């Protein structure tokens, strides 16, 4: 054993710098870099995003992560050499991101819509940069605890937002709507006729009581809270007995955990509860944690859990419907997964393309499925279907490598003790931890200020009131938790259990493409593996997995990081921001809308939002002043929109509807043929929807193709008859027009629709 220890010490990497000044410069910069990482980790979940692939609202955060990535490497390069963490985990991540980028290039080459593929590819490159930055910059357990405390404070703040929404703002909105529905709809810029399906669906969403906080979906909020609730639970159980301010920390942890659990129950997310249970089960496998399962502290936790459940039941957050609807929800998931598997079977190597799932899903959607989803509600199937088998295998390999690297911490039998004697290294770690805390608080300011440099790309920025409230809650939380940050412990098993709970939730909820949710996955992976590296010298005879990089590899890595930053600016950030600014100008000045939309189209050669708006504008111009010139102008704009989004059934269907309107007003056979072509393509891309079939039947009738019209009308009635969801059925006007084509068609669909409404 003595020889083994001696050999281990001989292998300890030399930390002597080649020159003192560069190393001191990097040491001085590292706390600031960590503060920047904390700032971005906090700011991203504060900006709602549901369709990152379409809107590109992750662009400013991708740019900032790449800048931080480049700056870190540049400072290391200036040092002359560096010892970096580099092992199979990092290789698996590099392979995953590289293959994902290759899948994006293949998708663009094969004719997919380039903008979603570009957006999602850069989002994943941003994931990789974030993992690298956090994993390489964290050097002490105190810094890791500080980053965990920042995220716990953010989770507590999200709970504050959610509880305010649940008990105050949402009931006030519903009451205002019920006082005068027509006025409320007009103020919101919408109007649906009383009794219409659209108003019914709108009112259903309005009366939904599940909170969302700063997320677009309630499941996203639940997915974010789940892992940090597990981190809280692990911290409570492993809190050292000799820690100062122990009662204060326990009280803070308990109150925060109760709030997180209450909001989690209010979201009614069954997959989050299952993920929470899986993470808790993994925590219970540790001998050091099992030792506390039958103590007064554990009994207090159980009592608090029961109180939270009672409160959740009393406030309507937990009811019998949550359990009763579980089989139906699971049945929906199986429909999504079955259709997603069809996409995988059709394109197994590279997938349908990053960001292309929603368009591709309509081609395989089951006839009785409920909705057009943007992801399959399963992160493995989402990656597999969009980026292909190679990327899915690499990502699963990455997750397994994280687990394999960290799982030996399960065997730990002793409770780690906090540091007692201050040292120069401990004081430096405390300074870095404080910088992380300040960076986390600055994340709220970034979320508030980001529209000033990202423009309309950020559609729902953080309000001033929410910013001030968030700073107050997070600042108080960090102050209360600081004794734990300075002298507590965070075993590697705790972030690993949180990671497991999160991945279990993502297996049924999805969201790997939503950075506000998925960012926690990469952060937890970095925390778990880095804490394991930092823990190894004290528990084994091996050393942290460090690799020496000389000037040449560092120079190449820095050049690569700078290239990625410039490429992201050229293909992601600049075109999106400039295009959205021009679109905003078009909305503000309708008289110059066409001029500004031309600028938007030129600014983003891959985007399709501006071409869609131009097609809509020129169609309206034709309606006001019908002429051959205005019709050709509209057709050119519509063709550009379809060229940039060729796989969208929605786009083809809309163009077909416009062309049908032109035909009905002019009786121009050319418009009828154009409508028929567009509607036929819409049906090819969405074969199992009755409305698409009905519109194709009407277009075929207008073009004089009676056989196709009757066949499609009959198929529309058949699909309508087997569709169990009222919102997906044919409306009465469309049904009456189809009856003219197929007088003897069965009206089973109408009876079914009436029964659904009852």
């Amino acid at each position: 054993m003595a020889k083994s220890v001696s050999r281990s010490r001989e292998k300890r990497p030399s930390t002597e710098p080649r020159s003192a000044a560069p190393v001191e410069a990097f040491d001085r910069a590292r706390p600031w870099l960590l503060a920047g990482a904390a700032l971005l980790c906090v700011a991203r979940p504060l900006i709602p995003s549901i369709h990152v692939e379409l809107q590109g609202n992750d662009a400013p955060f991708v740019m900032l992560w790449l800048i931080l990535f480049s700056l870190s490497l540049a400072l290391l390069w200036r040092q002359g050499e560096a010892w970096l963490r580099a092992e199979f985990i990092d290789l698996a991540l590099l392979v995953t991101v590289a293959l994902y980028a290759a899948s994006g290039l293949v998708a663009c080459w094969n004719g997919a819509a380039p903008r979603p593929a570009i957006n999602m590819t850069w989002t994943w490159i941003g994931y990789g940069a974030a993992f690298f930055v956090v994993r390489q910059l964290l050097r002490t357990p105190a810094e890791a605890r500080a980053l965990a405390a920042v995220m716990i404070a953010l989770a507590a703040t999200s709970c504050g937002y959610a509880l305010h929404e649940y008990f105050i703002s949402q009931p006030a909105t519903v009451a205002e709507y019920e006082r005068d529905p027509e006025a409320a709809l007009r103020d919101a810029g919408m109007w649906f006729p009383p009794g219409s399906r659209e108003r019914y669906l709108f009112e259903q969403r309005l009366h939904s009581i599940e909170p969302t906080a700063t997320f677009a979906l309630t499941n996203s909020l639940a997915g974010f809270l789940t892992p940090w609730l597990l981190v809280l639970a692990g911290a409570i159980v492993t809190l050292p007995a000799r820690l100062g301010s122990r009662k204060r920390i326990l009280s803070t942890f308990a109150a925060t955990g109760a709030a997180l659990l209450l909001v989690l129950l209010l979201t009614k997310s069954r997959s989050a509860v299952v993920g929470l249970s899986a993470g808790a089960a993994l925590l219970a496998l540790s001998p050091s944690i099992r030792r506390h399962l039958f103590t007064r502290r554990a009994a207090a936790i159980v009592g608090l859990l029961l109180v939270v459940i009672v409160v959740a039941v009393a406030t309507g957050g937990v009811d019998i419907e949550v359990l009763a609807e579980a089989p139906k929800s699971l049945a929906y998931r199986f429909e999504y997964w079955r259709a997603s598997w069809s996409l995988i079977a059709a394109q197994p190597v590279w997938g349908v393309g990053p960001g292309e799932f929603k368009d591709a899903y309509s081609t395989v959607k089951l006839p009785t499925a409920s909705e057009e989803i943007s992801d399959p509600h399963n992160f493995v199937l989402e990656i597999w279907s969009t980026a292909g088998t190679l990327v899915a295998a690499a990502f699963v390999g990455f997750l397994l490598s994280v687990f394999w690297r960290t799982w030996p911490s399960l065997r730990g039998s002793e409770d780690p003790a906090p540091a007692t004697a201050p040292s120069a290294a401990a004081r430096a770690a405390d300074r870095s931890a404080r910088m992380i805390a300040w960076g986390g608080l600055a994340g709220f300011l970034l979320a508030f200020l980001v529209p000033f440099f990202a423009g309309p790309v950020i559609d729902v920025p953080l309000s001033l009131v929410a910013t001030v409230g968030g700073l107050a809650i997070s600042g108080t939380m960090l102050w209360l938790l600081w004794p734990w940050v300075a002298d507590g412990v965070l075993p590697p098993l705790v972030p690993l259990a949180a990671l497991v709970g999160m991945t279990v939730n993502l297996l049924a909820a999805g969201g790997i493409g939503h950075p506000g949710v998925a960012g926690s996955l990469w952060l937890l992976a970095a925390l778990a593996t880095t804490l394991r590296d930092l823990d190894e010298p004290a528990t084994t005879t091996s050393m942290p997995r460090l690799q020496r990089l000389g000037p040449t590899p560092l120079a190449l890595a820095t050049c690569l990081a700078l290239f990625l930053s410039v490429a992201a600016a050229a293909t992601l950030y600049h075109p999106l921001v400039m295009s959205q600014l021009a679109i905003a100008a078009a909305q503000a000045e309708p008289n110059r809308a066409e001029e500004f939309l031309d600028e938007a189209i030129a600014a983003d050669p891959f985007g399709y939002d501006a071409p869609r708006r131009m097609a809509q504008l020129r169609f309206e111009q034709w309606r006001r002043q019908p002429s051959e010139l205005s019709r050709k102008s509209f057709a050119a704009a519509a063709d550009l929109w379809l060229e940039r989004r060729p796989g969208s059934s929605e786009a083809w269907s809309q163009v077909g509807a416009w062309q049908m309107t032109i035909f009905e007003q002019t009786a121009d056979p050319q418009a009828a043929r154009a409508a028929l072509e567009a509607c036929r393509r819409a049906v090819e891309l969405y074969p199992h929807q009755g409305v698409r079939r009905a519109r194709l039947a009407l277009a075929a009738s207008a073009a004089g193709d009676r056989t196709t019209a009757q066949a499609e009308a009959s198929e529309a009635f058949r699909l309508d008859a087997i569709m169990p969801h009222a919102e997906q059925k044919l409306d009465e006007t469309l049904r009456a027009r189809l009856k003219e084509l197929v007088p003897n068609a069965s009206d089973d669909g109408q009876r079914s629709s009436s029964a659904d409404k009852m």
Side-chain angles (χ1 to χ4, degrees), residues 219 223 269 271-272 333 337 375-379 504-511:
N219 277 340
S269 174
S271 59
R333 297 295 193 275
W337 299 341
D375 68 78
H377 294 64
N378 179 292
F379 78 95
V504 169
N505 173 59
L506 292 179
L507 283 172

Side-chain angles (χ1 to χ4, degrees), residues 578-580 582-583 595-605 610 644:
M578 298 308 295
S579 179
Q580 289 299 320
I583 290 173
E595 173 189 345
F596 286 122
L597 288 177
D598 278 331
E599 293 180 8
I601 292 170
D604 185 3
R644 293 195 180 180

Side-chain angles (χ1 to χ4, degrees), residues 115-140:
R115 177 46 63 197
I118 292 171
N119 291 351
M120 286 308 303
T121 297
W122 281 117
T123 291
W124 274 72
I125 292 174
Y127 289 161
F131 179 83
F132 174 88
V133 167
V134 173
R135 185 161 153 75
Q136 300 302 331
L137 291 180
L138 288 178
R139 299 293 174 87
T140 68

Side-chain angles (χ1 to χ4, degrees), residues 269-590:
S269 174
R270 291 169 285 264
S271 59
V273 173
V274 173
L276 186 68
S277 303
L282 181 59
L283 282 174
L285 292 177
S286 170
S288 60
I289 290 180
R290 282 203 306 269
R291 191 179 307 117
H292 298 286
L293 291 182
F294 302 101
T295 62
R296 287 183 297 175
R297 192 189 310 178
I301 292 174
V302 173
L304 183 63
L305 174 64
L306 294 176
V307 170
V308 171
I309 293 176
V310 170
V311 172
V313 172
T315 56
V318 176
D319 51 34
I320 193 63
E321 184 180 355
V322 174
L323 298 177
E325 294 292 321
K328 183 188 293 186
S329 178
L330 187 59
Y332 289 162
R333 297 295 193 275
F334 281 127
E335 290 178 343
Y336 305 155
W337 299 341
R338 179 180 167 188
S340 300
W341 181 252
S342 299
L343 294 178
I344 295 170
Q347 300 189 56
V349 179
W350 295 111
V352 299
E356 304 290 340
F357 181 86
K358 184 175 182 179
D359 287 348
Y361 175 77
S362 64
T363 64
V364 295
K365 178 176 173 287
L366 301 181
T368 58
S370 60
E371 57 183 324
E372 297 89 9
I373 56 174
S374 57
D375 68 78
H377 294 64
N378 179 292
F379 78 95
V380 175
L381 291 179
E382 181 177 351
I383 298 172
W384 200 348
S385 61
T386 56
T389 303
L390 298 176
V391 179
F395 184 69
V396 171
F398 166 75
L399 292 179
L400 291 176
S401 66
V402 171
F403 187 84
W404 181 261
R405 180 77 183 94
T406 313
W407 78 268
S409 59
L410 284 169
R411 297 175 298 183
S413 58
E414 298 296 331
D415 291 336
T420 55
S423 63
R427 289 193 296 271
D430 182 68
R431 287 194 297 270
S432 297
R434 291 182 184 279
M435 288 297 296
I436 291 173
W438 285 114
L441 293 177
F444 289 90
L445 299 178
L446 176 62
F448 174 71
L449 296 174
V450 69
F452 293 97
F453 61 86
V457 170
I458 304 298
D459 48 2
V460 187
L462 197 66
S463 69
L464 179 60
V465 173
T467 301
V468 174
L471 283 170
I473 296 174
S474 288
T476 303
M477 282 290 301
L478 288 172
W479 176 74
L480 291 171
L481 294 179
W482 199 253
W484 175 75
V485 172
D487 299 314
V489 295
L490 182 64
L493 174 64
V494 173
L496 178 66
L499 179 66
V500 168
M502 186 172 189
T503 53
V504 169
N505 173 59
L506 292 179
L507 283 172
I512 194 67
H514 295 179
V517 178
S520 293
L521 182 147
W522 302 90
L523 176 57
L524 289 165
L527 284 174
T529 54
T530 303
L531 282 168
R532 178 61 182 159
D533 289 343
L534 296 172
D535 189 48
E536 270 193 333
T539 56
T540 71
T541 59
S542 63
M543 300 303 299
R545 313 293 181 88
L546 297 178
Q547 298 293 330
R548 176 187 174 276
L549 290 183
T552 301
L554 284 172
L556 293 175
T558 303
C559 290
L560 174 61
L562 291 173
F563 169 77
L564 290 175
S565 299
V566 173
T571 62
L572 179 72
Y573 183 77
H574 183 266
L576 283 175
V577 170
M578 298 308 295
S579 179
Q580 289 299 320
L581 285 174
I583 290 173
Q587 294 174 321
E589 299 185 47

